[in-house]
Amino acid sequence: MIIAPSLLAGDFGKLSAEAKRAERAGGDWLHLDVMDGHFVPNITFGPDVVKTLRAQVKMFFDVHLMCSRPEILLEPFVDAGADQIIIHSELDDKVPELIWKVKSMDCRVGLAINPPAVVEAAEPHLDQLDLLLVMTVNPGFGGQSFIRECLPKIQQAWDWRQNRGLGYRIEVDGGVTAKTAPDCAKMGADAFVSGTGLFGKRNMKAAVKKLRESVEQNRRLTLAAAG
Ligand code: DX5
Ligand code: ZN
């Protein structure tokens, strides 16, 4: 199970120190939310910031692009040290080419689906993906409430993976805490992004541990075939 603290909830006045705090706390991936003020009504940071952080921490960089024109950003983020780039299914016709481009740079690729979208929007791309991100809030801001209606999408993503013998991870992002994560784990999620729920805690190490335990105890297991 992957725990991915989201730096969006960190103190923007000391991002390197916050990234190190997430690493020391035992986070597996650092989730980096890139917002362009167009795809979502908020702006965060670009490749130069990611490059600066790359020099400070060894964590796997999970870069979530909430941008209308990701095609101009893929190479800069890979060069900056992204280990995985997530693009949004809402980009429709652009998606196949974006996936191909990320993979061609030897970077892992994820596809995100927003709460209003059906999970079937991701279906044509599943065999290309390293990760499917089921958004559990409408993207743009941290600290929003978890949208429970998204849970069945996780279950469907897990069923497809199982039935088709695929290997993508299933990540959830938005309002994920030790209270909401167990239900995601039961449905089949195995990567958990959490911003406010981790960075907002004085003892982040204890918060990571609590979140990890809450999902480990509820992981969805594959039943061995009878006989
Ligand atoms: C929301 C971002 C999330 C955000 C989650 O648009 O994609 O990664 O940081 O924050 P919390 O965990 O506070 O909901
Ligand atoms: Zn995110």
Side-chain angles (χ1 to χ4, degrees):
M1 299 298 232
I2 296 290
I3 304 296
S6 169
L7 195 60
L8 184 66
D11 181 340
F12 272 37
K14 45 173 185 170
L15 285 176
S16 291
E18 290 289 71
K20 285 183 194 165
R21 181 158 77 103
E23 186 166 55
R24 277 199 312 272
D28 301 300
W29 294 356
L30 187 65
H31 186 80
L32 296 159
D33 289 300
V34 179
M35 305 184 183
D36 68 348
H38 188 263
F39 186 80
V40 287
N42 196 2
I43 298 180
T44 56
F45 43 74
D48 288 345
V49 170
V50 172
K51 191 175 174 188
T52 305
L53 298 173
R54 182 72 289 172
Q56 304 286 325
V57 291
K58 295 197 174 63
M59 295 169 90
F60 180 99
F61 277 6
D62 186 32
V63 177
H64 179 190
L65 291 187
M66 286 157 276
C67 302
S68 296
R69 296 184 61 215
E71 59 276 17
I72 61 170
L73 295 167
L74 301 179
E75 207 172 327
F77 276 108
V78 171
D79 289 346
D83 294 296
Q84 178 161 268
I85 292 186
I86 303 169
I87 51 149
H88 267 265
S89 68
E90 286 73 19
L91 297 164
D92 297 327
D93 297 352
K94 286 186 182 178
V95 169
E97 196 178 339
L98 292 168
I99 290 176
W100 177 84
K101 196 162 178 207
V102 176
K103 289 170 75 111
S104 74
M105 290 184 285
D106 247 349
C107 182
R108 291 213 223 170
V109 67
L111 187 65
I113 45 171
N114 280 342
V118 293
V119 67
E120 284 73 18
E123 196 182 0
H125 312 291
L126 294 178
D127 62 348
Q128 300 295 313
L129 299 180
D130 296 298
L131 176 136
L132 180 61
L133 169 55
V134 176
M135 289 302 300
T136 43
V137 298
N138 287 302
F141 301 92
Q144 303 182 73
S145 301
F146 182 82
I147 302 173
R148 290 192 62 80
E149 287 70 20
C150 300
L151 285 169
K153 294 187 204 175
I154 303 170
Q155 196 166 22
Q156 178 63 72
W158 194 94
D159 289 345
W160 280 331
R161 185 175 71 186
Q162 177 77 4
N163 296 337
R164 300 176 189 189
L166 297 172
Y168 53 84
R169 279 197 175 273
I170 302 170
E171 184 174 62
V172 284
D173 182 9
V176 174
T177 65
K179 284 204 177 69
T180 56
D183 283 339
C184 300
K186 280 179 200 158
M187 296 291 159
D190 50 27
F192 301 82
V193 176
S194 181
T196 322
L198 298 179
F199 277 98
K201 298 282 160 53
R202 192 188 294 255
N203 187 344
M204 192 168 168
K205 192 169 189 172
V208 167
K209 184 165 181 270
K210 189 172 169 197
L211 181 58
R212 196 184 294 285
E213 283 170 4
S214 81
V215 297
E216 293 285 359
Q217 288 159 7
N218 288 286
R219 57 166 71 223
R220 183 172 173 187
L221 298 175
T222 314
L223 294 176

